[in-house]
Amino acid sequence: MEDLAIFGGPPLLEKTLHVGGPNLGDREALFARFNEMLDRNWVTNNGPLVKEFEQRISEFIDVRHCVAMCNGTVALEIACRALDLEGEVILPSFTFVATAHALQWQGIQPVFCDVEPNTHCIDPGEVERHITPRTTGIIGVNVWGQTCQVETLQEIADRNHLQLLFDSAHAFGASHNGRMVGAFGRCEVFSFHATKFLNSFEGGAVVTNDDELAEKMRLMRNFGFSGMDEVIYIGTNGKMTEVCAAMGLTNLDSFDDFLETNLTNYHGYRDAFRSFPGVRLLEYDDGESCNYQYIVTEVGPEFGLTRDQLMTILHAENIRARRYFWPGCHRMEPYKSFFPHANLLLPTTESIAEKVLLYPTGISLRVDDVTTIGRLMRFLSRNADAISSRLGSVEKNEPEDG
Ligand code: T4K
């Protein structure tokens, strides 16, 4: 026990492991793309690399259009605007705050809905409860790369004349009933942020089979310009740069390698977490494609340490486990001031936000890192009572991030 870093021992890992350490493809290929770009003297504004990236994403998903953007948040904002959302839009509170901000930023009221306990995705039954005459849309979030109950949500949307879109920031490479994520609802939004399975440094995209919607979003991401001097919509600057597209294309070439690494890590964690009580690993559906980018657990009382105690111990060992999306959007500003009693309608969100802890994965892990983490977890589980009482004095240190 003296060796635990929280009690003064050296950290178990020399190199800090993060949730979201970037998956990096082949450097030479990336630099070659940079050189071509510089030789061309064309660095942004719908350049050839962006067009190639869009083409490859559309083909991969089998959708008619991919509109690449500077990040996932702006992609969400543009999608919501292009769909003419207004009034109220229903979304889960258990999501990254960008999903809610993309609405609030343009004066649309986010209405937070509870999620399903097993998948952490929006609960369609709860969606129905929140529909009012002011509701114009539903945003399903494909949390952790799993998929929502797409068909049920679509049926609810159709019956109530609502737009349905998906925030699929986590779900590039995932499938639903054998069909790639990206092909559902009116449109779907990806993030290619550095922490995502496929990253373009910063980046995002909206994918859709709707020609008119795609055209509108292309105009909106470029200030609304329809020609050299003609502006026909209010627009913004949502363009992806050529540097970002070069990174996205290079990483797309390594898709299979990233997937294999993530899958191996996931199996390693699954075996490790089965060897002691109190930590439930969220298991992915083997029958679907999945990117395995998130190692998601729920820490229960049988483990003997609280989720936050465990996180503090892991951080000291240079394992930067994260408690996404604690404490839930409804408990963040401005939403907690707008809706101070939202928690009453969100019991599952409240419960899982206190239990969820994510572990590092991706190509920055060495082969034996997962085994080392598993061994540490077993030790913590066996000695939980003693550690917990000794932690009492150390515990005053608040966990550093959420
Ligand atoms: N919808 C959903 C459901 C989302 O999850 C997100 C983003 C969005 C929409 C919006 O998409 P973007 O506008 O971001 O494209 C991160 C990411 O910034 C964010 O993209 C992501 N979701 C969210 C879940 O996580 P943070 O603040 O928790 O972590 P961050 O960016 O500091 O990175 C996490 C750790 O990864 C760092 O502590 C260290 C490591 N890291 C990070 C970067 C950027 C590296 O090792 N190298 C790096 O270059 O938000």
Side-chain angles (χ1 to χ4, degrees), residues 18-20 22 72-73 95-96 98 167 169-170 191 193 195-196 322 324:
H18 294 281
V19 173
T73 306
T95 180
F96 190 57
D167 176 343
H170 297 186
S191 163
H193 181 257
T195 54
K196 298 297 185 294
R322 296 290 300 266
Y324 290 128

Side-chain angles (χ1 to χ4, degrees), residues 159-343:
R159 186 161 29 86
N160 293 280
H161 311 290
L162 304 176
Q163 303 284 3
L164 174 65
L165 69 155
F166 291 96
D167 176 343
S168 298
H170 297 186
F172 184 76
S175 69
H176 176 81
N177 290 340
R179 196 170 166 206
M180 294 313 281
V181 164
F184 299 98
R186 288 292 307 282
C187 62
E188 299 203 42
V189 175
F190 292 119
S191 163
F192 303 120
H193 181 257
T195 54
K196 298 297 185 294
F197 176 77
L198 176 73
N199 92 81
S200 63
F201 300 125
E202 290 272 0
V206 189
V207 290
T208 182
N209 279 313
D210 185 323
D211 299 348
E212 214 174 298
L213 184 65
E215 181 56 18
K216 203 169 167 185
M217 291 189 295
R218 284 186 191 286
L219 292 166
M220 284 181 166
R221 81 167 167 188
N222 187 28
F223 315 100
F225 275 106
S226 69
M228 182 77 88
D229 302 308
E230 198 187 359
V231 171
I232 59 168
Y233 287 117
I234 180 169
T236 184
N237 184 352
K239 289 170 283 149
M240 177 180 267
T241 65
E242 288 287 273
V243 165
C244 290
M247 182 68 164
L249 284 164
T250 306
N251 287 335
L252 204 48
D253 293 338
S254 292
F255 182 97
D256 291 340
D257 296 336
F258 298 164
L259 189 58
E260 199 184 317
T261 304
N262 276 1
L263 189 58
T264 305
N265 292 342
Y266 165 74
H267 285 149
Y269 277 114
R270 195 176 58 181
D271 293 344
F273 291 147
R274 279 177 182 167
S275 66
F276 52 84
V279 172
R280 175 179 94 88
L281 176 73
L282 187 134
E283 297 204 14
Y284 295 104
D285 181 350
D286 290 336
E288 296 284 358
S289 302
C290 180
N291 59 34
Y292 300 93
Q293 179 70 359
Y294 300 94
I295 304 294
V296 185
T297 64
E298 288 180 6
V299 184
E302 309 82 20
F303 186 66
L305 295 166
T306 67
R307 185 269 310 264
D308 290 354
Q309 284 176 326
L310 175 58
M311 186 175 75
T312 307
I313 294 168
L314 293 173
H315 283 192
E317 304 293 355
N318 284 341
I319 302 156
R320 305 285 301 177
R322 296 290 300 266
R323 48 185 181 180
Y324 290 128
F325 297 108
W326 185 85
C329 294
H330 67 290
R331 288 192 179 271
M332 295 178 181
E333 291 294 2
Y335 313 109
K336 77 172 176 192
S337 296
F338 290 167
F339 319 112
H341 305 298
N343 59 311

Side-chain angles (χ1 to χ4, degrees), residues 136-171:
T136 57
I138 303 166
I139 303 182
V141 181
N142 290 319
V143 189
W144 318 136
Q146 309 164 107
T147 54
C148 303
Q149 291 194 43
V150 172
E151 292 75 15
T152 313
L153 289 173
Q154 190 64 63
E155 188 276 315
I156 294 169
D158 291 345
R159 186 161 29 86
N160 293 280
H161 311 290
L162 304 176
Q163 303 284 3
L164 174 65
L165 69 155
F166 291 96
D167 176 343
S168 298
H170 297 186

